[in-house]
């Protein structure tokens, strides 16, 4: 499985007990969606390796699960996975409706500003904690627009377009460099 066909689910944070169980941090607003995983892909040296889940249970902290993988039966085997990122295939993502979107799904979308019109295409979303940004390419310029609900006016999946109302003067800063 290739990373571009997967999404980041979280991280194996620590080993619990002596039977190979691990705590996984789930990076999701709805971690309960992942309480019945059959398998995950673990990033080992930039290769996604499947690990099948033998047992799973939610922990008292909302975004944590205890996972027991098949064929990982002791502390030392589990410790080799500690700190590694876990992924799931993109097909495992629930479909979103309305103006909600996954960051990976809008790459390549056109961006139209309420005042300026077409301002380019999304290259990627820079996922800075608390401040994700659309990275937009327009001719030889790169624009950064915050990914915030009050800025996004409309998401048009059919036409692969996002309509925004950028803060006053922000686009001009990039265009007049």
């Amino acid at each position: 499985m290739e990373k571009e066909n997967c999404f980041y689910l979280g991280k194996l944070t620590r080993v619990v007990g002596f039977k190979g169980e691990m705590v996984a941090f789930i990076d999701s607003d709805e971690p309960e969606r992942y309480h019945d995983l059959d398998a995950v892909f673990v990033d080992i040296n930039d290769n996604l390796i499947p690990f099948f889940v033998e047992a799973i249970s939610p922990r008292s902290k909302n975004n944590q699960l205890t996972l027991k993988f098949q064929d990982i039966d002791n502390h030392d085997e589990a410790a080799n996975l500690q700190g590694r990122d876990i992924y799931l295939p993109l097909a495992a993502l629930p479909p979103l409706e309305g103006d909600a979107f996954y960051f990976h799904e809008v790459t390549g979308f056109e961006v139209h500003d309420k005042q300026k019109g077409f301002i380019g295409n999304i290259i990627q979303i820079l996922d800075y904690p608390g401040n994700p940004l659309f990275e937009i390419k327009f001719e030889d310029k790169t624009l950064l627009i915050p990914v915030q609900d009050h800025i996004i006016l409309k998401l048009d999946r059919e036409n692969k377009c996002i309509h925004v109302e950028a803060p006053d003067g922000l686009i001009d800063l990039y265009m007049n460099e």
Side-chain angles (χ1 to χ4, degrees):
M1 181 68 67
E2 303 294 323
K3 275 189 186 177
E4 59 267 8
N5 298 323
C6 294
F7 68 95
Y8 175 78
L9 178 62
K11 185 177 283 291
L12 297 171
T13 58
R14 63 185 174 91
V15 179
V16 283
F18 296 99
K19 296 181 180 179
E21 293 181 324
M22 302 203 69
V23 174
F25 169 76
I26 305 301
D27 187 14
S28 171
D29 293 336
E30 299 178 34
E32 63 277 359
R33 288 185 176 270
Y34 306 103
H35 287 183
D36 62 350
L37 295 172
D38 294 325
V40 297
F41 289 93
V42 179
D43 184 349
I44 299 176
N45 301 324
D46 284 328
N47 294 307
L48 295 185
I49 309 299
F51 280 80
F52 296 94
V53 177
E54 186 176 294
I56 189 169
S57 59
R59 296 183 63 85
S60 59
K61 293 183 179 177
N62 285 345
N63 286 54
Q64 292 185 356
L65 299 173
T66 299
L67 298 175
K68 169 69 176 83
F69 294 124
Q70 290 178 6
D71 301 323
I72 303 294
D73 296 318
N74 62 56
H75 183 275
D76 292 339
E77 291 172 342
N80 289 328
L81 300 176
Q82 185 171 321
R84 300 198 183 268
D85 294 336
I86 54 176
Y87 293 82
L88 287 177
L90 290 174
L93 285 170
L96 297 177
E97 297 177 359
D99 289 340
F101 60 88
Y102 295 112
F103 287 177
H104 72 272
E105 95 178 278
V106 297
T107 300
F109 276 35
E110 290 185 356
V111 182
H112 293 264
D113 180 68
K114 185 175 181 178
Q115 302 300 319
K116 302 289 186 183
F118 175 73
I119 59 170
N121 293 78
I122 297 172
I123 299 169
Q124 66 178 332
I125 294 184
L126 302 172
D127 193 8
Y128 297 118
N131 190 32
L133 300 166
F134 290 120
E135 182 177 350
I136 301 165
K137 188 73 167 173
F138 180 74
E139 296 175 359
D140 63 339
K141 307 277 185 190
T142 300
L143 293 76
L144 300 176
I145 306 284
V147 179
Q148 296 179 353
D149 289 342
H150 69 278
I151 290 175
I152 300 168
L153 302 176
K154 179 183 174 190
L155 174 72
D156 183 350
R157 282 185 174 84
E158 185 176 323
N159 294 309
K160 296 189 179 223
C161 181
I162 292 180
H163 297 270
V164 300
E165 185 172 7
D168 288 339
L170 181 62
I171 295 171
D172 292 332
L173 286 173
Y174 292 108
M175 296 298 191
N176 295 327
E177 288 182 338

